[in-house]
Amino acid sequence: MSKAEKTDTGRKRNSSLPLAVAALLAAFAVLTVTSSWDKSPTFDEGFYISGGYGYLKTGDPMMAGWFHPVLAPVVSAMPLMTLDLEDPTRIMGWNRELLIYAPMFLNYNRTDARTIVRLSRLATLPIALLLGLGVFLWSRKLFGNAAGLLSLFLFVLAPNILAHSRLATTDLLLSAAVFWATFLFHEHLRRPRVLLAVGAGVLTGAAMLTKVSALLMFPGWIVLTLIYFLKPAERKQEPSEHNPLLLRLYDRFGSRLCVLVCSVLVMAVMAAATIGAAYRFRYAGTCSAGETVVGTAESEHRFHAWSLGVFERTRRYLPLPAPYLHNIRVFLDKARDGHPGFLFGEVGGPWWYYFPVAYVLKTPLGTITLTALALVLLRVSARPRWGLELMVVPIIFFAGCM
């Protein structure tokens, strides 16, 4: 084959790659929408939908942030702004009891519950598609086009992904935010840039606004950072006005630690600003009139002495809205007391082995087999194992959930 023929073949392959990605994502969208169109709402969807709509209409985060921060409820409720719905403050249970308010909002509104739920679920689909695109891009960057397409194919047919991409809940949003934040953070470690630090900070804030359990990604980031610090430093470039700002800082001081400290500050500021913006930069100690959410001597669920002491000593120094600090407190309660579940025909728990068992039962055998095969091939392969350090983040996150 001549050089020109090889060039034409390469161009055809490159032109067909976007079509293959688009086809897989389109198939994913069809599967998601058609499988959810006539499904009744899950137990918690009504909480997020009704709470988010109430926050968008009134600016009061009480109902939206009842269990989790406000991002997922707000995203779920955004399509509802096109409808003429009842004033949330006039619905029974508003700012008193979410278990009453949510079903009243769905079933006794100006629009039927089916339409409300369908529109709210559609808000999750674009985020799921961005997550799928990220899976393809990151896998392709690490291991090539074929690996990218295979990863996307497994993503499209993953039961867990399909199940949560069709619901107006927090899980898919958390996965997408943590994934993209980690992606940008990893790229920033390899080649520091201000925009990457800013993007990672914003997405970190988005992840923390979805579920407080997003904090579990930070131990993985710390280990990932230590791995990069232990690697030999890359050859320094000569200072140049064309270098990104953080690389010029690196060249000037010759220290990765200096870059890291500056980057952490940038990401922390952007994350705090993102969380503050979601709560409209209201840092008062109440979530609703007369409803104190932080600073009370007791809460519905008592903390053990250590966690309560740490929380009370540090919260006053954190530039975070009081309703969000309330969510952290609820999360710590849950972490201490555990969460009941259903496993092997029994309701109870918590069981430390719940998530490993759920992973084995809910993940297709083909995916598990390919994962095991990939680990074996990596063990015997002589090729460089660049990028494998990324596995520490999901492993530590998974272990933290246990």
Side-chain angles (χ1 to χ4, degrees):
M1 182 180 291
S2 65
K3 185 176 181 181
E5 290 176 338
K6 290 181 179 180
T7 302
D8 291 339
T9 303
R11 289 176 179 174
K12 290 179 180 179
R13 289 177 179 175
N14 291 334
S15 63
S16 62
L17 186 63
L19 295 178
V21 173
L24 287 172
L25 292 177
F28 176 82
V30 172
L31 288 173
T32 300
V33 174
T34 56
S35 63
S36 69
W37 198 245
D38 290 321
K39 298 293 183 181
S40 59
T42 61
F43 174 77
D44 53 350
E45 277 186 288
F47 301 153
Y48 301 123
I49 296 171
S50 60
Y53 184 80
Y55 181 40
L56 288 175
K57 295 295 287 187
T58 67
D60 190 337
M62 178 63 184
M63 306 305 282
W66 194 279
F67 298 113
H68 298 293
V70 299
L71 182 60
V74 166
V75 170
S76 300
M78 288 180 68
L80 302 183
M81 302 302 287
T82 61
L83 302 177
D84 181 23
L85 299 180
E86 186 69 46
D87 182 355
T89 61
R90 301 179 61 182
I91 297 177
M92 183 183 299
W94 170 256
N95 266 2
R96 293 194 306 274
E97 181 53 62
L98 187 60
L99 291 173
I100 297 175
Y101 168 71
M104 295 296 294
F105 177 88
L106 289 180
N107 297 304
Y108 297 93
N109 219 310
R110 296 173 184 169
T111 303
D112 62 282
R114 177 177 294 183
T115 300
I116 292 175
V117 172
R118 283 175 174 175
L119 283 177
S120 297
R121 286 174 171 174
L122 288 177
T124 309
L125 180 58
I127 300 172
L129 293 175
L130 286 175
L131 176 58
L133 181 61
V135 168
F136 166 76
L137 292 176
W138 203 350
S139 183
R140 178 194 181 195
K141 185 179 183 66
L142 291 174
F143 304 111
N145 292 341
L149 286 176
L150 177 60
S151 298
L152 181 58
F153 177 78
L154 296 175
F155 172 91
V156 167
L157 299 180
N160 281 326
I161 299 297
L162 285 170
H164 291 287
S165 297
R166 63 182 193 169
L167 300 178
T169 55
T170 60
D171 303 282
L172 195 284
L173 272 68
L174 177 65
S175 300
V178 170
F179 179 93
W180 277 103
T182 303
F183 174 70
L184 294 182
F185 179 73
H186 177 254
E187 291 300 303
H188 180 71
L189 284 176
R190 295 184 58 245
R191 186 172 177 82
R193 293 179 181 273
V194 172
L195 288 180
L196 289 176
V198 170
V202 171
L203 288 168
T204 298
M208 296 171 65
L209 277 168
T210 305
K211 274 189 174 183
V212 179
S213 56
L215 294 170
L216 293 174
M217 69 181 174
F218 293 135
W221 284 19
I222 293 173
V223 175
L224 193 62
T225 302
L226 291 176
I227 292 173
Y228 271 87
F229 264 69
L230 293 175
K231 285 184 174 182
E234 296 181 2
R235 182 179 60 84
K236 297 180 184 178
Q237 300 178 8
E238 293 298 323
S240 168
E241 294 183 358
H242 300 288
N243 285 348
L245 175 61
L246 290 181
L247 276 181
R248 282 185 292 184
L249 188 65
Y250 180 97
D251 292 331
R252 182 174 181 179
F253 295 98
S255 171
R256 282 191 267 185
L257 181 61
C258 180
V259 176
L260 177 64
V261 171
C262 294
S263 302
V264 169
L265 289 175
V266 170
M267 288 187 284
V269 169
M270 295 309 302
T274 302
I275 295 174
Y279 288 94
R280 306 185 184 190
F281 297 104
R282 296 175 181 173
Y283 295 89
T286 59
C287 200
S288 179
E291 176 73 19
T292 301
V293 298
V294 173
T296 55
E298 295 182 357
S299 63
E300 183 179 354
H301 302 282
R302 287 184 177 275
F303 284 41
H304 55 76
W306 181 83
S307 63
L308 179 59
V310 171
F311 179 77
E312 292 298 336
R313 284 194 298 269
T314 58
R315 68 172 178 82
R316 67 191 64 183
Y317 304 110
L318 298 175
L320 298 173
Y324 185 78
L325 294 175
H326 167 68
N327 290 129
I328 296 179
R329 187 165 187 166
V330 172
F331 170 76
L332 292 175
D333 278 332
K334 291 286 186 181
R336 182 205 65 178
D337 299 331
H339 200 290
F342 178 80
L343 186 65
F344 297 137
E346 295 183 7
V347 176
W351 301 286
W352 69 266
Y353 51 85
Y354 179 88
F355 286 107
V357 172
Y359 172 80
V360 173
L361 293 179
K362 291 188 175 184
T363 305
L365 292 177
T367 302
I368 295 177
T369 303
L370 288 174
T371 302
L373 179 61
L375 293 175
V376 171
L377 291 176
L378 286 171
R379 177 69 178 175
V380 301
S381 175
R383 296 180 62 184
R385 300 175 183 179
W386 175 70
L388 290 185
E389 65 275 2
L390 290 167
M391 294 179 66
V392 302
V393 178
I395 289 174
I396 293 176
F397 199 108
F398 192 81
C401 293
M402 295 168 57

